[in-house]
Amino acid sequence: MRFSKTGYTPDQLLHLYKELITPRLIEEKMLILLRQGKISKWFSGIGQEAVSVGAVQALEADEYILPMHRNLGVFTGRNIPLNRLFAQFQGKLSGFTKGRDRSFHFGSKEHHIVGMISHLGPQMALADGIALANTLKEEQKATLVFTGDGASSEGDFHEALNVAAVWNLPVIFVIENNGYGLSTPSHEQFKFNSFLDKGPAYGIEAVQVDGNNILEVHRTISKLVKEVRKNPKPVIVEALTFRMRGHEEASGTKYVPKELMEHWAKKDPVENYEQYLLKNGVLTEQLIEEYKAEIKADIDTGLETAYAESLPEFKLETEVGDMFQPFEQEVKTPASESKSDKRFVDAISDGLKQSLERYDNLVVMGQDIGDYGGVFKITEGFIEKFGRERIRNTPLCESAIIGTGLGLCINGYKAVVEMQFADFVTCGFNQIVNNLAKIHYRWNQNADVVVRMPTGAGVGAGPFHSQSNEAWFFHTPGLKIVYPSNPYDAKGLLNAAIEEPNPYMFFEHKALYRSLSQEIPDDYYTIEVGKAAITQEGEDISIITYGMGVHWAKALSEELKEISIEVIDLRTLSPWDSETVAESVKKTNKALVLHEDTMIGGIGAEVSAWISEHLFEHLDAPVARIASLDTPVPFTKTLEENFLPIKRLKEKVIDLNSY
């Protein structure tokens, strides 16, 4: 291993040495504690320390870095107090996740660190969003994100690199190529020889470094950081290194050939750098002992403090309360009496436009939303008014764009992400249910992101453009879900969703876009989230529904004038308004839950179960449900009409009324 101290003062060389041995000494202690059963799991970075240390030392303290589970040197390099770090490892309250997540699965706003989730790839898109925010603020800052050779097989890797390249984002993608994804060797992960081959395909500069040479890593990344600050662009850095222990300690290393382990043992980053400094008279044995004694003392003190702390006590109000960033909604009323007739699609466009005017840090992203105005023309003319920086036409990559939205939020922005069709959200599902939904609960970082979801059948669009998939997200704690049925609610609830700094899934029925109009306020206004509306009063039966179901129920009420039907429009599905539902059912004593989604596992199952459990003594009949067939949405009109519950609704209401 060849080191070059050119350009470094002795103090700088010693600082890097001290930073390099700190994670090694901590790890050695952690391995002892693991054997003693004092920590539950450990992901070792022994052998790879030079990559983490070299990278973090090349950045300014206020530049974001996104590490993975072998990057202990990043956390120590950002001077995180060891007692808090050890408390995190032990699941203590003074850690960063209040005992809710383990080891390195955390972030810290104070230290400009964004932690990973177990799925490895998604954090790269967050880096894109953080870098985009810096670009929009015209700040000359770099963002650095780690990934591994194994994680490069994930689609998130491709999407994040592609977006960064297309948008010229100042992101440094450090790929720690340690030869294995758990036990799977690189030749079973990919066919190419080096990640240098990846750069040209994306139009990205790619460089390779000896990841065990602290000076080469630090020098290379320092140079690249300076470049991307002045000339924003993404860069790939392939750091060749090796993991000297198992994927995690229980895995062992039996799958690694002995000669390979011996080869890399000779390239140990700590030992080789230490010997180099000794030979060059920069370091002495006495200084080594002093440094190690100081660090070990800090480790012991930190451990003593962490061990003295009790495990967190369970408090229901805290666990539930931490799901979202605290927010007290103040309903905004229109500034004037001015009103005009607007279609459903125009109301959404109007709300989005006024929110963009209200929040200069709001960015809207989606496929074809730029010059084309979106497939439903909701953002038509927006580029001329707000510019291409805020109305961002995206590549076809739902996961990366949702992740970019979260990254924007981490760095001070709001984001609205349009799914071209709600069906396409499957490609970004992980970012929603594992990042947006959990991030505040995990480490107190909110997700100020609204995902717009053009949804629903009745337009002859077939199985992949017609699904009602709100129930997928209803089951996920940490998401708020809105599903308006009319233009007035659509505008007011969209404004409310954008206003609140928490993640929203906002469903818009495509069949209502141009078929329904209403006189609504021209000014900005919001509607109370979590409050249902009684759209029609009745005495005999309560129909609890939302979206298109509201119109089906009201149309049937007109037809069956002999039955007095009360129609409850939930409007907000999470949290849903059980109080209004209860008041209605107590009055009518009969309840029918209606939705366009398929029956099994739908939102109606939760609502009907709640009614049965809490209002049983008020019921004169079993709670009824009516929904679409448990099949995909068919294309042909005759099939689609019978897939939907419209024709079966009348019979169900008559049966329930006569019970």
Side-chain angles (χ1 to χ4, degrees), residues 228-270:
V228 304
R229 286 176 188 145
K230 293 180 180 178
N231 178 30
K233 62 176 181 177
V235 181
I236 292 172
V237 176
E238 179 182 24
L240 300 177
T241 185
F242 199 76
R243 169 163 47 83
M244 296 303 294
R245 302 192 70 87
H247 169 72
E248 43 85 25
E249 286 305 303
S251 303
T253 57
K254 290 183 179 179
Y255 51 84
V256 182
K258 182 181 178 182
E259 59 274 16
L260 191 59
M261 290 290 289
E262 291 173 348
H263 169 77
W264 281 97
K266 296 174 183 176
K267 294 170 66 66
D268 182 276
V270 175

Side-chain angles (χ1 to χ4, degrees), residues 432-452:
I432 294 171
V433 302
N434 282 319
N435 253 338
L436 297 187
K438 295 179 173 65
I439 197 165
H440 189 270
Y441 176 77
R442 289 172 55 237
W443 55 276
N444 205 39
Q445 168 62 58
N446 70 302
D448 199 343
V449 180
V450 176
V451 182
R452 289 186 42 241

Side-chain angles (χ1 to χ4, degrees), residues 75 79-86 96 111:
F75 298 91
N79 299 314
I80 287 181
L82 293 185
N83 63 296
R84 290 199 69 191
L85 197 59
F86 298 153
F96 293 85
H111 300 94

Side-chain angles (χ1 to χ4, degrees), residues 33 92 112 322 416 424 443 580 639 647:
L33 297 177
K92 302 294 181 65
H112 288 79
D322 281 354
V416 171
F424 299 168
W443 55 276
T580 297
L639 298 178
K647 293 182 178 180

